Amino acid sequence: MGEFLPYGRQSVTEEDIAAVTEVLRGDWLTTGPAVTRFEADLAGHTGGNPAVAVTSGTAALHVAYAAAGVGPGDEVVVSPMTFVATAATAALQGAEVVFADVEPDTGNLAPAAARAALTERTKVVAAVDYAGHPAELDELRAVADSSGALLLEDAAHSVGGSWQGRPVGSMADLTTFSFFPTKNLTTAEGGAVVTPAGPLLERARAFRNHGLVRDRAAQRHPDEGAWHQEVHEFGLNYRLPDVLCALGSSQLRRLGEFGRRRAEIHARYDGGLADVAEVRTPVTRPGAEVMWHLYALRVLDGRRRALYEHLRGAGIGVQVNYIPAYWHPVFEDLGYRRGLCPAAEGFYREQLSLPLFPDLTDADVDRVIEEIRAFFGS
Ligand SMILES: *Cc1c(COP(=O)(O)O)cnc(C)c1O
């Protein structure tokens, strides 16, 4: 048995470490020039849409919903095939979360299901680029527009990818990223909200920083004194510090390299598992340039759990992403019932994430393939 292989992990170089230590030796630890630089660097990957760096992908979602003005009386349509934060942050804003089912092949929010979930109270339609594969963003845009809702893209998995030639971050009203170590690039903890310049951007920036208004022209009491800053709407402190933004800029330089290596590994699994009758390899829809965050294998015939346990026993850190979000007891207690989104539940029952991260070697990948083949005797 080889060393334990996690399902995802960061790739940190000496250059990354040097970028961080340089900031530590400087004058700014928190909000300084590295934040501005990281936001500008990120905008280089979003078709130029501005980025607001925040402390996590969860904070990015919270900021996005707050910027959208989501509150009590509003409904937010959410994909259930996601980490709980996509739904939890809308619920924390006081909205009612309406789960709409997913496409059986990609696990992404199904436009038809999202359309059927719309009411006159729908404020946001929140899709997730599951495993890095962009959602059906053109159809979802049309769905959101048909009821005057905003389109939010939880792109925690998909920074660096594109859809029909347009980069992730250039299509939705609000796009959110996560820079947790298992994701496509890391700032340790971190995230960002991306949105075109305009009121959503201004509100996102304000919410990240307590809602503080420093611009005298916008203040209600501008004559208070030069020290004065005032709050018009409540916000929080979700500021990503300079130290971590420096890491982010350094990591971003390798985003293309990360994407190529992730694609190679993904293809190697595809090739090694294509003829195993008991599994299905992931699909790529036409028009998707995927930054693969997960290798989402499907295990048929109810054997997912047995394969999970076999691989874990062999030191291979497979994972399941995700239980349908409404299976969490917090949603159960609010009356959400199993059976609500049958495609998502079917997807979950078969899903198994294989190790996928840039520093994984071909030999590691082959070891995982061999263990799976051995389990099925193929
Ligand atoms: C990781 C993740 C989040 C939350 O990001 P954090 O940085 O861990 O807070 C939200 N949505 C999805 C789909 C994720 O994978």
Side-chain angles (χ1 to χ4, degrees):
M1 190 170 116
E3 64 178 314
F4 182 80
L5 286 181
Y7 85 97
R9 62 162 285 136
Q10 68 278 14
S11 169
V12 171
T13 60
E14 289 304 319
E15 284 77 49
D16 293 332
I17 293 165
V20 170
T21 52
E22 191 186 320
V23 173
L24 281 171
R25 291 197 178 92
D27 294 330
W28 302 94
L29 291 186
T30 56
T31 302
V35 177
T36 316
R37 199 177 318 126
F38 180 48
E39 290 180 341
D41 292 346
L42 267 176
H45 297 269
T46 62
N49 273 345
V52 181
V54 294
T55 49
S56 69
T58 304
L61 287 160
H62 194 191
V63 169
Y65 289 128
V70 168
D74 294 328
E75 293 177 3
V76 175
V77 174
V78 181
S79 168
M81 190 41 58
T82 187
F83 183 58
V84 66
T86 320
T89 45
L92 278 170
Q93 283 296 103
E96 186 177 332
V97 176
V98 180
F99 290 102
D101 214 347
V102 300
E103 301 280 357
D105 59 343
T106 58
N108 283 334
L109 183 62
R115 188 179 292 280
L118 296 174
T119 73
E120 68 282 356
R121 298 197 294 152
T122 308
K123 192 81 163 228
V124 172
V125 173
V128 177
D129 296 334
Y130 178 83
H133 190 301
E136 288 290 335
L137 291 159
D138 301 292
E139 284 184 64
L140 289 167
R141 158 63 65 198
V143 168
D145 286 354
S146 75
S147 74
L150 294 172
L151 178 61
L152 185 152
E153 181 181 0
D154 180 344
H157 298 180
S158 62
V159 62
S162 66
W163 176 246
Q164 312 291 351
R166 290 159 296 160
V168 166
S170 70
M171 293 168 279
D173 296 301
L174 294 151
T175 305
T176 60
F177 295 137
S178 165
F179 308 126
F180 189 73
T182 55
K183 305 292 166 75
N184 295 333
L185 69 109
T186 193
T187 59
E189 298 285 357
V193 183
V194 171
T195 182
L200 284 175
L201 180 67
E202 295 317 312
R203 294 186 64 165
R205 284 185 174 144
F207 191 80
R208 164 180 67 175
N209 191 27
H210 308 282
L212 284 167
V213 177
R214 293 203 170 108
D215 174 10
R216 288 195 76 209
Q219 288 177 346
R220 190 175 303 170
H221 307 293
D223 298 328
E224 185 62 28
W227 59 84
H228 183 62
Q229 36 183 339
E230 59 185 34
V231 170
H232 298 181
E233 285 184 274
F234 293 123
L236 289 163
N237 173 359
Y238 279 153
R239 300 186 306 263
L240 189 63
D242 244 41
V243 177
L244 300 183
C245 286
L247 177 56
S249 285
S250 182
Q251 288 260 305
L252 260 185
R253 277 182 226 123
R254 284 188 293 144
L255 186 63
E257 193 185 304
F258 289 158
R260 281 189 291 281
R261 182 60 190 147
R262 286 176 171 278
E264 270 175 23
I265 294 167
H266 205 274
R268 196 172 182 91
Y269 279 132
D270 281 349
L273 297 169
D275 65 333
V276 179
E278 295 86 351
V279 302
R280 293 279 177 277
T281 58
V283 301
T284 306
R285 289 192 174 189
E289 279 274 336
V290 186
M291 168 64 91
W292 289 110
H293 164 59
L294 298 175
Y295 188 92
L297 189 68
R298 308 283 292 274
V299 186
L300 311 182
D301 308 321
R303 301 188 70 186
R304 189 272 307 275
R305 184 174 184 149
L307 179 59
Y308 171 94
E309 284 165 0
H310 173 80
L311 292 172
R312 281 275 170 157
I316 296 169
V318 284
Q319 182 64 281
V320 171
N321 305 92
Y322 300 89
I323 65 161
Y326 57 84
W327 284 21
H328 286 282
V330 67
F331 282 110
E332 231 167 41
D333 292 349
L334 289 168
Y336 295 80
R337 290 288 168 259
R338 292 186 182 214
L340 183 62
C341 298
E345 295 184 13
F347 193 98
Y348 159 70
R349 285 195 183 91
E350 295 179 349
Q351 200 278 341
L352 190 68
S353 299
L354 306 183
L356 176 57
F357 52 90
D359 295 341
L360 202 63
T361 66
D362 286 352
D364 293 330
V365 175
D366 292 345
R367 179 180 142 211
V368 176
I369 292 169
E370 285 317 309
E371 282 292 347
I372 294 171
R373 298 190 68 97
F375 176 79
F376 290 115
S378 59

